[in-house]
Amino acid sequence: MDFSQVDDATLRRYRRVLRLRTHRSTMHRDELVAAVTKHFNEQQLNEKDAVSHFIYALRNQGVLWKANLANRIGADNAGDEEENRD
C-alpha cells in the first residue's frame, strides 16, 4: 500500500491508534509515512482467519441491523399502543 497518498490526519490516527513507537512526538510527513509503511509491512496476516472473520462480520452485520431495527419498531409501536388506549 502506498501510504504517501494518504492524508496526514489518517497517518497520525494510524500512529496513535496502533501506538507506534517513534523517536519524536512530532514528525515530518516523510518520516511518518516511512514509520507507518514499516509497521504495516511488518504485520503478519493469517489469510484463512482474515477471510473467516470477514465473512462472519458480513453475515452478522445484517443480524445486528435487523435487531436494532426491530427494537426501534417495537419502541415506536409501544408508544402507538398507549395512544390507542386513551
Side-chain angles (χ1 to χ4, degrees), residues 12-38:
R12 286 191 302 271
R13 190 176 320 119
Y14 183 101
R15 178 178 160 209
R16 185 184 72 244
V17 169
L18 295 173
R19 299 180 181 161
L20 298 185
R21 296 180 188 262
T22 55
H23 301 292
R24 300 183 319 207
S25 60
T26 57
M27 303 176 75
H28 293 289
R29 178 174 169 74
D30 295 339
E31 294 171 318
L32 187 56
V33 167
V36 168
T37 301
K38 181 180 180 217

Side-chain angles (χ1 to χ4, degrees), residues 70-84:
N71 289 338
R72 288 182 183 178
I73 291 172
D76 291 342
N77 289 340
D80 292 342
E81 290 175 9
E82 289 178 14
E83 290 175 9
N84 292 336

